Amino acid sequence: MKGKTAEKHQQWQLFIKELVTFALLFAALGLVVYFLFYQSIYHEMNHGLQWQKNQIMQNSPVPRVNHLMGSEAQKAQKAKNQVPPKDGSFRANLVVFNKNGRVINDPMLGERDYDLLKNTQLIKRHLNRISNLSLTADGITGHFKTLLIKVPKSNPNPVYAGRYVLIMKNIDADLQALTNFRTALVTTLIIFWILAIAIAYFLSRSSMKPIILAWRKQRDFSGNAAHELRTPLTVIQNQLEYLLTKPKSRIMDEAEEVSTALDEVRHMQTLTNQLLMLARSDSNVIQLNQTDVDLQPWLEKSVKLYSDIATSQQKELKANIKVSGHGSFDPDLIRQVLTILLDNAIKYTPTNGTVTVNAKRIHDPLQHEALHLQVADTGPGIADSEKTKIFERFYRTDKSRNSKTGGNGLGLAIAKWIVTRHHGKINVKDNEPCGSVFNVTIPLKSAKTSV
Ligand code: ADP
């Protein structure tokens, strides 16, 4: 339950992080787009004001840039401000002041703009500066960009000569365009943010899935390991506590308790070795020690030890090993696979039962040389529904039976890892008339077949 809350918490954190990232990205994108739009509008407007200024100052026709070459082109560059604004619709109002700040071109202002523009004042500190100006008349407010210039007395136009001219460009339409653009941009960003919520949720779920899975596996693994270690520890503790109550006894008198404790110590040793092996396999630190192996003698020797163990338990072990030549694999690890399979086969075969080991060289489906090992027993067999599960860590078909047999469900998981690491295959089938058959196929890398 606690684990589930931690997982949810992690997923939630990831979701928030992704959402914030999306939000920041969209906000940055929105700002950049808005800034560019804003710039393009005002750049054109400022250029228009400068152009108008040049028109007044020079009072001369504008040269056609396209027809100019060489040094002429430089002149054209200089006269860039003489190029009319792109849209061609630049129309400014011109208010002419005398030295005392009185508007002297009232008749030129036009009836429509007169009411608004007559309130304009001469602010000399704005000379040669582009400024913003808002004017209100009859409840209507107009917004302007302005440029105040002082026209020299030498100017051929008598209306402007020696006067101040305020060039005014009405920007109401541009402000409206900016407002509309801002509204459209914010609406689009909100829609995308809502989409981002769904995407962030989906991403956080799908990216957390493998992490949660690995996390659960790890948690189950540690939980199971602790559980498996607790039983032998409890037995050892009980035996030792019992021995403490008999301080005068000789070891010989309490041999059974000592031997039980020792058995549990051995069991724990096996378990910790297996846990270590799996932990190292998970972190990929186990390197395969590929060695050239003479197969027949190596297999006979590996199986021989188990023949004695089977006999001591009134079980029979038949070995049918016919493998010529050499093969390359990690002999220690493959022997461990054999040990796990033979150990289980003998363990689960009843008294007077038979365990059979077959070994032969085969060609796998891709026509590569492979070693095929088969360990068959006449035990209780394995139900179809459990044939794949038994290769999972800590999986045992019958917990009570296995607590007696001393297994902890790690052997086949290790065997599977070793075989897979060798690019081989392992599976289990039913034996006839009873029991199970474990099949292992290991590719033999460099095969030197003996003649
Ligand atoms: P264990 O140490 O418990 O034997 P394994 O991983 O080797 O762990 O085996 C997992 C489970 O598979 C065993 O607990 C047992 O239930 C089942 N099993 C393995 N080998 C055999 C077999 N030869 N016959 C029947 N059941 C088997």
Side-chain angles (χ1 to χ4, degrees):
M1 196 66 194
K2 230 179 182 178
K4 273 224 149 118
T5 321
E7 286 163 15
K8 280 253 166 286
H9 181 70
Q10 281 292 326
Q11 192 178 325
W12 183 242
Q13 269 192 346
L14 194 65
F15 170 67
I16 296 289
K17 273 184 201 160
E18 280 168 358
L19 200 59
V20 170
T21 310
F22 276 129
L24 288 176
L25 275 177
F26 288 153
L29 180 78
L31 279 176
V32 169
V33 172
Y34 183 73
F35 178 73
L36 290 177
F37 187 64
Y38 181 94
Q39 278 287 85
S40 77
I41 283 188
Y42 282 101
H43 174 79
E44 195 58 17
M45 208 176 290
N46 294 345
H47 174 57
L49 290 173
Q50 291 293 350
W51 174 78
Q52 187 75 63
K53 174 185 168 183
N54 286 348
Q55 293 295 298
I56 295 168
M57 291 299 208
Q58 294 173 4
N59 216 8
S60 60
V62 179
R64 295 284 302 260
V65 179
N66 294 351
H67 299 152
L68 301 174
M69 302 286 285
S71 64
E72 293 285 282
Q74 280 179 357
K75 271 191 216 158
Q77 188 60 32
K78 233 176 152 188
K80 199 176 169 207
N81 283 337
Q82 295 177 349
V83 178
K86 271 185 217 142
D87 63 2
S89 64
F90 189 86
R91 238 178 287 130
N93 296 98
L94 303 176
V95 180
V96 185
F97 297 95
N98 66 11
K99 261 192 250 156
N100 304 324
R102 208 174 66 76
V103 178
I104 59 156
N105 67 332
D106 305 16
M108 287 164 67
L109 293 180
E111 248 175 68
R112 195 171 62 86
D113 296 325
Y114 179 75
D115 285 345
L116 209 57
L117 300 184
K118 71 176 182 207
N119 299 326
T120 324
Q121 285 176 355
L122 174 65
I123 305 169
K124 289 187 183 166
R125 67 173 191 281
H126 286 176
L127 190 66
N128 292 325
R129 268 188 12 212
I130 291 175
S131 321
N132 289 316
L133 177 68
S134 296
L135 296 172
T136 308
D138 300 333
I140 299 169
T141 303
H143 300 89
F144 299 86
K145 277 256 170 206
T146 64
L147 175 62
L148 181 67
I149 55 172
K150 173 108 171 53
V151 183
K153 282 195 179 115
S154 57
N155 193 287
N157 189 328
V159 183
Y160 303 141
R163 308 250 162 78
Y164 288 95
V165 178
L166 185 66
I167 308 165
M168 301 176 74
K169 164 75 177 143
N170 189 300
I171 56 168
D172 285 337
D174 305 284
L175 288 179
Q176 189 56 46
L178 268 180
T179 310
N180 291 347
F181 183 70
R182 207 168 37 225
T183 313
L185 196 65
V186 169
T187 314
T188 314
L189 287 182
I190 288 175
I191 292 171
F192 271 82
W193 264 325
I194 292 169
L195 277 177
I197 294 176
I199 293 170
Y201 181 74
F202 172 76
L203 278 183
S204 64
R205 263 182 78 103
S206 61
S207 50
M208 275 302 284
K209 242 184 203 161
I211 300 170
I212 289 178
L213 220 79
W215 200 357
R216 281 188 192 156
K217 259 174 118 175
Q218 194 60 39
R219 196 187 54 204
D220 292 351
F221 183 68
S222 337
N224 283 326
H227 180 77
E228 290 298 326
L229 283 168
R230 207 165 49 189
T231 318
L233 274 174
T234 313
V235 176
I236 294 167
Q237 186 184 8
N238 287 346
Q239 301 306 321
L240 291 177
E241 279 172 359
Y242 170 78
L243 288 175
L244 267 182
T245 62
K246 310 264 178 182
K248 299 236 166 74
S249 296
R250 292 177 306 163
I251 289 178
M252 268 248 291
D253 301 334
E254 308 300 338
E256 201 184 322
E257 279 68 26
V258 174
S259 134
T260 308
L262 255 181
D263 276 351
E264 292 304 325
V265 169
R266 270 188 218 110
H267 178 64
M268 268 177 63
Q269 207 162 27
T270 314
L271 179 63
T272 45
N273 284 340
Q274 288 179 326
L275 288 174
L276 191 66
M277 171 108 190
L278 284 170
R280 292 173 71 209
S281 74
D282 283 345
S283 50
N284 243 343
V285 290
I286 302 178
Q287 293 293 322
L288 285 194
N289 181 21
Q290 296 271 5
T291 312
D292 192 61
V293 178
D294 189 357
L295 296 168
Q296 184 77 19
W298 179 80
L299 275 166
E300 280 171 358
K301 198 173 155 207
S302 304
V303 173
K304 169 110 191 34
L305 172 73
Y306 283 87
S307 162
D308 299 338
I309 294 173
T311 313
S312 72
Q313 295 180 22
Q314 289 102 52
K315 298 167 191 175
E316 191 188 356
L317 190 142
K318 285 187 195 162
N320 188 11
I321 300 167
K322 289 196 185 94
V323 195
S324 57
H326 292 236
S328 175
F329 49 80
D330 187 324
D332 291 336
L333 289 180
I334 298 299
R335 186 179 287 119
Q336 203 172 338
V337 174
L338 253 180
T339 304
I340 291 164
L341 297 182
L342 284 168
D343 210 39
N344 279 344
I346 295 172
K347 197 158 66 178
Y348 294 108
T349 296
T351 314
N352 298 323
T354 307
V355 173
T356 313
V357 180
N358 293 314
K360 60 180 175 185
R361 182 187 279 274
I362 59 160
H363 285 96
D364 69 10
L366 292 171
Q367 292 304 305
H368 298 131
E369 294 265 304
L371 173 66
H372 184 244
L373 296 171
Q374 202 173 51
V375 178
D377 63 61
T378 52
I382 297 163
D384 283 347
S385 59
E386 295 187 311
K387 283 196 171 82
T388 49
K389 288 187 189 156
I390 54 169
F391 294 101
E392 289 169 13
R393 295 174 186 189
F394 293 106
Y395 189 84
R396 294 184 296 209
T397 50
D398 179 347
K399 317 276 179 220
S400 58
R401 190 181 73 200
N402 280 281
S403 60
K404 260 188 265 145
T405 51
N408 46 48
L410 289 178
L412 288 178
I414 292 175
K416 182 166 173 120
W417 176 80
I418 295 173
V419 173
T420 311
R421 187 77 173 71
H422 279 83
H423 306 289
K425 287 206 162 31
I426 182 167
N427 63 32
V428 62
K429 294 205 162 86
D430 291 329
N431 194 13
E432 291 302 330
C434 64
S436 338
V437 185
F438 282 86
N439 294 291
V440 175
T441 312
I442 308 278
L444 295 171
K445 285 219 165 143
S446 78
K448 285 191 253 159
T449 314
S450 61
V451 199

